[in-house]
Structure formats: C-alpha cells, structure tokens
Amino acid sequence: EAGVAQSPRYKIIEKRQSVAFWCNPISGHATLYWYQQILGQGPKLLIQFQNNGVVDDSQLPKDRFSAERLKGVDSTLKIQPAKLEDSAVYLCASTQPGGGGHEQFFGPGTRLTVL
Amino acid sequence: RKEVEQDPGPFNVPEGATVAFNCTYSNSASQSFFWYRQDCRKEPKLLMSVYSSGNEDGRFTAQLNRASQYISLLIRDSKLSDSATYLCVASHNAGNMLTFGGGTRLMVKP
C-alpha cells in the first residue's frame, strides 16, 4: 500500500515570497491533517480536513496560511507571504474513516527554509 | 504551559539498559494517549497506544495514570536501533486531533 505522498521534499525561499506544498493521502483515508514541526519541537496541528470540509483550523495563521482539499483527496497548503519563523518541516498525515483507531500515517514532510 | 510536556533529554544509555520516559498532560478531557517514534529527519510513526490498565509490546511498556495526568514509556534491553525521538501524544476529542509533546531524544550507545 502506498503511503502519504508529499512534494516538494525541500524548498528554500526568501521572506515575503509565496510557497505551496502538496499532499496525497493514503487511498481511502477521509481525514487529512497538516502539521508544522519546528526544529526541536513536536508537530503542531495546523488544519484538519474530513473529506473536503475543514474540521479544525484554529491553529492556522489565517493571515498568511491557507489550505484546501477541493475534491476530498489531495490537498495543498500555501504560505503567502512567508516569514523567517515559518522555517520548519510541514508534515501531512491521514487516517482511515470511522472508528478504526487513532493511528495517523505521516508523509515524509516538506522541509522549508525561509531566508 | 504546554498541553503535553516531556523532558527533551537527550538520554544517553548503553546497549542493554532499561530507560524510562515520562510525560504529563494538562487537559483533563484528554481521552486517548499514544507514543510515536520519530527517527532523525524522518516522519513520526506510531509506536504504541497507551491504555489505562497499562500495556506491553515486546520490550516496550506504556502506562497511564489519569489521576496524576501522567504517561510513561519503559524500554527494556535497549538496542542501538532504539535511538530516536519519542513523542508523547494526547487526544481529547473524537475528531482524532492529536496534541504532541516536544519529544524525548534517546541515544543508545554500544
């Protein structure tokens, strides 16, 4: 079974530029999450989707971050404009629908460096 | 105060040693708990769930104390391959939203 796919794996941009990350969850997984992991810290949830609807985006800095999952499958996360403190690994995760437990399967992440 | 707190370590132990990690959580509404493992520059992966009665998976034992809002992970007979960061995780709703601690780094030396 293919895992969660993310691209690009690495991205270097200058502050005030824009950047977008892409995620394709495991096939059949209705719930998709985006996390931000700053070096030395645990992942922090940014947004959770159930199919194409947002379940929780309370920790998403909406002045600069946006995310969508238009067809309920793959998703994009955008930062516009980027700040130095956005340097982090952006992880996408997915889970099976229903009560199958709480295991979240993570993709390899996109490592963003903002200069 | 962070919702899930862990000692960042690092814990440096010799092969074969027993090591224990602790974690505290502040949200008394937390219902489910987990340990995830994260290798250097890799994604987190589920190590084990934590049940109120305590549970064991091979060399790993997890325990939960709801009264003290405390979770532990015990690793017996440490292997070099156990070197990683261990993330304590709490979930407080049915929406499967996870709150991660900052992680405890373990380094097992030969």
Side-chain angles (χ1 to χ4, degrees):
Chain A
E1 180 181 77
V4 177
Q6 289 188 248
S7 68
R9 293 294 309 278
Y10 304 91
K11 190 73 178 180
I12 300 173
I13 62 172
E14 295 189 348
K15 60 183 179 184
R16 292 187 290 274
Q17 287 188 320
S18 301
V19 65
F21 313 129
W22 175 83
C23 171
N24 192 24
I26 293 172
S27 178
H29 282 196
T31 309
L32 183 148
Y33 311 80
W34 282 102
Y35 290 87
Q36 179 193 60
Q37 187 172 24
I38 293 172
L39 185 65
Q41 299 181 18
K44 183 184 86 170
L45 179 69
L46 294 175
I47 189 167
Q48 176 185 353
F49 290 96
Q50 179 76 18
N51 297 309
N52 62 350
V54 175
V55 175
D56 189 283
D57 62 357
S58 57
Q59 297 190 90
L60 187 73
K62 298 180 187 65
D63 58 332
R64 298 184 300 107
F65 286 65
S66 64
E68 59 184 18
R69 194 185 184 199
L70 294 175
K71 296 182 179 180
V73 180
D74 57 350
S75 175
T76 55
L77 176 68
K78 297 179 181 178
I79 307 175
Q80 181 179 7
K83 293 185 175 181
L84 297 177
E85 58 261 35
D86 298 333
S87 294
V89 176
Y90 290 84
L91 293 161
C92 180
S94 68
T95 56
Q96 293 179 340
H102 293 265
E103 181 171 8
Q104 293 188 10
F105 295 87
F106 285 81
T110 296
R111 187 173 298 273
L112 174 67
T113 301
V114 182
L115 303 175
Chain B
R1 182 184 176 188
K2 293 181 181 177
E3 193 167 327
V4 179
E5 294 206 66
Q6 301 180 245
D7 179 345
F11 285 62
N12 294 295
V13 303
E15 269 187 295
T18 296
V19 61
F21 306 138
N22 302 319
C23 165
T24 58
Y25 61 95
S26 60
N27 190 337
S28 58
S30 296
Q31 300 169 346
S32 306
F33 306 90
F34 312 89
W35 285 99
Y36 274 69
R37 170 189 168 135
Q38 186 170 27
D39 292 307
C40 187
R41 302 180 77 86
K42 298 287 189 179
E43 69 273 21
K45 292 183 179 179
L46 179 66
L47 177 67
M48 61 195 300
S49 300
V50 186
Y51 302 120
S52 297
S53 55
N55 50 298
E56 189 174 303
D57 183 0
R59 297 180 294 108
F60 299 83
T61 301
Q63 294 200 315
L64 166 65
N65 184 323
R66 288 189 184 272
S68 302
Q69 297 185 190
Y70 169 97
I71 303 156
S72 66
L73 177 68
L74 182 77
I75 305 176
R76 292 182 300 278
D77 188 23
S78 298
K79 311 290 185 190
L80 295 176
S81 57
D82 294 334
S83 297
T85 295
Y86 291 83
L87 297 161
C88 178
V89 186
S91 174
H92 63 270
N93 61 27
N96 212 24
M97 289 170 51
L98 303 182
T99 301
F100 286 79
T104 297
R105 188 174 173 202
L106 172 66
M107 298 183 69
V108 182
K109 308 282 189 174

